[in-house]
Amino acid sequence: MGKVYTIHDIAIRLNISKSTVSRALRNHPDVSKETKTLVHEMAAKLNYQKNILASNLASKNTNLIGVVIPEIARQHFFAQALSGIQRVAKEHGYIVMVCQSNEEYLEEINQVNALVNSRVAGILISLSKETNDYQHILNAQDRHTPVVLFDRGTDKIEISQVLVDDYKGAYEITTHLIKQGYQNIAHLSGPMSLSISQKRYKGFMDALKDAGRSTTDAYVLQCDNLSLDAREATERILSLKKRPDAIFCMSDYMAIQVLKELKSNQIQVPEEIALAGFAGDPITEIVEPQLSTVEQPAFDIGVQAAKRLIMEIETEDRDTLGFIHKILDTNLLVRESTTS
């Protein structure tokens, strides 16, 4: 099979220290560009392959950052957030390891425990819709693994979080619908176990209240399964004697499913029913009509969350650092689906 070369072999051939080789392989900013080039060229020549697990077990100071997200496939938001995380991690010499909880609490626990046992430097988490207990996160912190939440947070534990202003975004798009003259606005919410669902629901209800609208008559349907439930919710809306003339969906993905159902029932958007989403997914510009939405700064959320995590990783006295709650602003995008 041939010899397996190590950092020690690279260091001997270049007559530099093993620590310099290690930092160069991580693209650490303290190492000169010339040295990095020499190290990477020698590593390629020797076909050096880092044993990440062995390296982690040998040292408490790893260069791995674990990221746990609910899903990737249908979520442009998380793809963008991961791009932001990756950029910051690379600039600081860290490697990103991405795990998917599939919106399952037990799987989230398994992923977090696996990352901690692999001695990652820190963990970024966007909570699953089932998560309502946070002992696995507290356990990670107790084992000196910094954790930062992003996008989906909680007020149940002390922890740094980077979120968007879900309340303001929902309030603004609901206010837009009211100003456009829509009288009977429905809201399709996400799982109320999620803080983002709660905040968007509250923003919707407060916008109605501040406009002098009745909140007791507000038509709200909770959609735990964003695709199946959105379709079924649309069918229920269309069966009502007094149909809503506008629908605000908790997510763009949900709004796309609603649009599909409305079209299959020959309902004109926005002439018969206006439709709005939340996220700022690029698909909202492609569909016909283009969907109004609330744009989230997904890339910047990833950047800010990664910066905070690395700060907590590299601060020797974390107790003096404390925790932060960073709230990023949203942007209302008004398009054809809500303007007649």
Side-chain angles (χ1 to χ4, degrees), residues 184-189 219-221 223 229-249 254 258 261-262 265 267 272-275:
N184 186 13
I185 306 171
H187 176 47
L188 302 191
S189 81
Y219 194 73
V220 178
L221 286 171
C223 300
D229 286 3
R231 292 194 293 269
E232 292 178 349
T234 307
E235 292 175 3
R236 289 179 61 179
I237 286 173
L238 295 180
S239 69
L240 296 172
K241 290 183 179 179
K242 185 182 179 182
R243 288 181 182 172
D245 56 2
I247 303 172
F248 163 43
C249 296
M254 189 187 298
V258 172
E261 286 301 305
L262 292 177
N265 284 276
I267 303 297
E272 295 179 79
I273 298 180
L275 181 62

Side-chain angles (χ1 to χ4, degrees), residues 12 19 74 100 103 119 155 160 173 177 183 190 226 231 272 304 311-312 315:
I12 290 176
S19 61
R74 300 182 303 186
Q100 193 170 225
E103 296 282 14
R119 298 189 183 178
D155 58 0
S160 290
I173 200 161
L177 292 170
Q183 298 298 314
L226 297 185
R231 292 194 293 269
E272 295 179 79
Q304 297 300 324
M311 181 184 295
E312 295 193 11
T315 299

Side-chain angles (χ1 to χ4, degrees), residues 168-181:
K168 180 183 175 185
Y171 186 97
E172 287 183 343
I173 200 161
T174 305
T175 300
H176 159 69
L177 292 170
I178 292 169
K179 289 182 177 179
Q180 286 296 112

Side-chain angles (χ1 to χ4, degrees), residues 109-127:
I109 292 176
N110 290 337
Q111 299 289 0
V112 170
N113 289 342
L115 290 170
V116 172
N117 290 333
S118 296
R119 298 189 183 178
V120 295
I123 304 176
L124 293 166
I125 305 177
S126 186
L127 299 171

